Each structure stands twice: as structure tokens, then as C-alpha cells.
Amino acid sequence: MAILSFGRTLVSNLFKKPVTEGYPFEPREYTPRTRGHVVFDGDNCILCNICGRKCPSNAIRIDKTERMFIIERMRCVQCSACVDSCPKGCLSLDGHYIAPSIQKVTDAYDVPVKEKPRTSEQTSE
Ligand code: SF4
Ligand code: SF4
């Protein structure tokens, strides 16, 4: 009986798609909620430091004088607190696997100065 059952399983598996993935030969498909590393888009950043205050691992530092957003990658635990709290939508989590690193990586990004919109008096001149 056991041999019959084994034979049935064997034959049925011959016609099924493998359950394993052919990684690294086939690209990995990440689920929509995969949390990779923090991506910063500074166009709308107002240097409010809400992200820095919400970060549980003190990975983010805002330098208002130099107008910089600084993130220590090795401290980040991909919790998404900064992404969820940014009032300007400057942060997102890249949904890809990040290769481990043996060096502490600190990334610093310039925050561009925004030109103030001209008033009607200025534009009529
Ligand atoms: S990234 Fe968002 S939360 Fe952080 S300083 Fe800029 S605007 Fe504020
Ligand atoms: S994802 Fe979490 S740990 Fe990483 S920088 Fe944002 S708040 Fe900090």
C-alpha cells in the first residue's frame, strides 16, 4: 500500500510546478509589504525632525544648519515609524532585500532650499 501511495505522489508531482524557487537564477518576487531600506526624497522636506524623534533606534539625524538628512543604515530596524510620521511624504521603504554589510554606512542627503512663491506685488513689477 505504501508503495502505491508513493507511486501516486511521484506521478502527480511530475506534472506539478516545483514549490521551490529557482533563486538566484529566477528573480525573487517580493511581497508588497516587504520592508527594505529607507528612501529619502528631500524635495518637500521641511527639516521638522519628526522622523528623527519617532525613530526608536536613533538612526535619523537632521542637521538644520547644514540642511541635511542623515541616516545611519546599520541602526535602522525597518520599523517604518519615520515613513508613517513624515508629514510631507518624503520617506518610503524600498521593498527589496538589502545585502548585509560589515561596515557602518551613514548616508547624508542635502535638503534643497525651496524658493518662496512670489507675491502678486512682486510679480506685477
Ligand atoms: S523627512 Fe519628513 S519628517 Fe523628516 S524632517 Fe523631513 S519633512 Fe520632517
Ligand atoms: S524605519 Fe524605523 S528604525 Fe529605520 S530610520 Fe525609520 S524610524 Fe528609524
Side-chain angles (χ1 to χ4, degrees):
M1 287 303 269
I3 288 181
L4 263 181
S5 166
F6 174 75
R8 232 180 290 134
T9 306
L10 180 72
V11 171
S12 72
N13 279 339
L14 284 176
F15 301 99
K16 280 186 192 162
K17 206 174 150 230
V19 290
T20 51
E21 291 179 16
Y23 185 84
F25 305 107
E26 288 172 24
R28 175 93 193 266
E29 281 185 24
Y30 295 95
T31 54
R33 294 180 69 104
T34 302
R35 292 177 175 183
H37 78 164
V38 174
V39 177
F40 174 67
D41 177 2
D43 285 350
N44 294 325
C45 180
I46 52 174
L47 298 164
C48 63
N49 196 31
I50 292 176
C51 53
R53 287 201 304 271
K54 291 281 181 180
C55 178
S57 56
N58 292 327
I60 294 177
R61 192 160 55 81
I62 300 293
D63 187 332
K64 289 189 180 183
T65 315
E66 297 293 325
R67 298 190 62 82
M68 299 205 90
F69 172 94
I70 301 152
I71 179 166
E72 286 184 57
R73 297 286 179 191
M74 294 288 272
R75 280 176 171 258
C76 176
V77 293
Q78 284 95 24
C79 69
S80 192
C82 58
V83 176
D84 299 340
S85 63
C86 176
K88 293 291 181 178
C90 302
L91 301 168
S92 57
L93 275 172
D94 181 8
H96 290 90
Y97 173 71
I98 303 297
S101 169
I102 55 169
Q103 287 180 327
K104 286 188 176 179
V105 179
T106 302
D107 288 332
Y109 302 90
D110 289 323
V111 176
V113 181
K114 274 199 132 185
E115 281 188 27
K116 287 182 183 162
R118 299 176 116 203
T119 59
S120 56
E121 280 177 16
Q122 285 173 318
T123 49
S124 63
E125 285 174 12

